[in-house]
Amino acid sequence: MSDIYQPAGSLFGKVRRLAARAGVRRPIGVAIDEPIVSFTFDDFPRSAALNGAPMLEKRGWRGTFYTAMGFLGTTTHLGEMMHRSDIEALHARGHEIACHTYAHLDASHCEAEVFADDCERNCAELMDLGILRPRTSFAFPYGEASPAIKRALQPRYGALRGVRHGINRKGDDLNLLKAVALDGGKAGLEKALRAIHEVRREPGWLIFYGHDVRENPSEWGCTPEFLATICAEVDAQDLPVLTVGETLSMLSGAPARIPA
């Protein structure tokens, strides 16, 4: 599912999304000659921390958790949401805690200044928890962007991630990175597995994004078995897994932690 919580798009919505893709681009300036995989979780549900993170850690990997602090301690259709202790524990274990707005705002229906202020509130609350670098990257709630909001956020974050399906390569937009969903049941699993094989054949940056990880997932989540299958295939293909922040550092020429 690409546009979480959103109804079927209208013609106007499609035009808006095309405008967002075309405007205020920040192209990846270097060739990605070796495949890279990142695992990201949006919002984030506790099940992503309690069930998803240990699967990554088992293989020496770490993930990027796009955190909307307005969900802290609540329960939504994604299940129980993260607690303060979950954020602190993930951070202590080396996972990346990044920004997803405070109130899970829709960029397609929000003024740029309001949106940016909400992001700043989110980052401030994360920093109060000891997250020193919440601005490494950002993910758009609902996958929606606009040229004005891309322009407002570009100086604040190393990259902005959307939900358009695909693998990122030289020339793709750091202000609206493509990603592959960890949802959709059997059909979604097959689609994600195909992306793994594609990035092995044609190197690039494959960013997975998910939400809840539980036995009875939401429409936008997956089962532990689904995620375990993806992790096993990434491992079998011997693909390096980096957080979004680590990948951005590597693309910029700075040192990045490469898992053994």
Side-chain angles (χ1 to χ4, degrees):
M1 179 98 178
S2 59
D3 293 333
I4 182 171
Y5 323 144
Q6 292 284 70
S10 64
L11 177 60
F12 175 77
K14 292 178 182 177
V15 171
R16 184 184 62 227
R17 283 189 286 274
L18 288 172
R21 292 175 193 171
V24 194
R25 299 185 78 255
R26 183 174 19 161
I28 295 174
V30 298
I32 303 175
D33 296 324
E34 298 293 334
I36 303 166
V37 176
S38 296
F39 286 90
T40 71
F41 300 90
D42 292 3
D43 294 350
F44 64 89
R46 284 203 88 197
S47 60
L50 299 180
N51 299 328
M55 290 189 196
L56 303 184
E57 293 169 15
K58 178 182 177 181
R59 301 177 187 275
W61 306 338
R62 296 297 183 269
T64 298
F65 289 77
Y66 288 110
T67 309
M69 287 294 286
F71 287 136
L72 186 70
T74 66
T75 298
T76 73
H77 59 291
L78 302 176
E80 188 180 5
M81 303 302 283
M82 74 288 186
H83 294 178
R84 175 187 177 124
S85 58
D86 299 321
I87 298 171
E88 293 171 333
L90 288 177
H91 180 60
R93 300 202 306 267
H95 295 274
E96 178 182 18
I97 307 298
C99 186
H100 198 49
T101 77
Y102 178 86
H104 203 269
L105 297 180
D106 184 344
S108 68
H109 296 91
C110 189
E111 295 295 328
E113 183 177 355
V114 172
F115 197 92
D117 286 347
D118 193 72
C119 290
E120 287 304 305
R121 178 183 180 184
N122 198 60
C123 288
E125 295 213 5
L126 287 172
M127 287 190 286
D128 284 345
L129 292 182
I131 310 301
L132 300 181
R133 298 182 63 229
R135 296 182 180 85
T136 49
S137 65
F138 174 85
F140 286 103
Y142 310 100
E144 293 284 358
S146 74
I149 288 176
K150 289 171 73 176
R151 184 177 296 108
L153 298 189
Q154 175 173 312
R156 304 166 189 250
Y157 298 98
L160 315 174
R161 201 216 75 210
V163 296
R164 181 186 175 197
H165 180 85
I167 295 168
N168 300 284
R169 298 184 174 91
K170 183 177 181 179
D172 282 320
D173 188 7
L174 284 168
N175 284 343
L176 197 60
L177 288 167
K178 294 180 283 190
V180 172
L182 297 173
D183 64 25
K186 181 178 179 181
L189 177 60
E190 292 173 353
K191 197 172 185 179
L193 290 171
R194 287 197 298 271
I196 294 170
H197 298 151
E198 178 187 341
V199 81
R200 165 51 71 195
R201 292 191 309 270
E202 301 176 46
W205 181 13
L206 169 57
I207 303 174
F208 286 116
Y209 77 96
H211 293 85
D212 48 310
V213 182
R214 49 186 175 150
E215 290 299 337
N216 295 298
S218 72
E219 183 178 354
W220 301 278
C222 69
T223 63
E225 181 181 9
F226 182 124
L227 182 57
T229 300
I230 294 300
C231 289
E233 190 60 26
V234 169
D235 203 8
Q237 296 297 322
D238 197 25
L239 302 179
V241 174
L242 302 176
T243 66
V244 172
E246 288 170 338
T247 305
L248 293 171
S249 292
M250 188 177 70
L251 293 179
S252 70
R257 179 188 66 84
I258 306 295

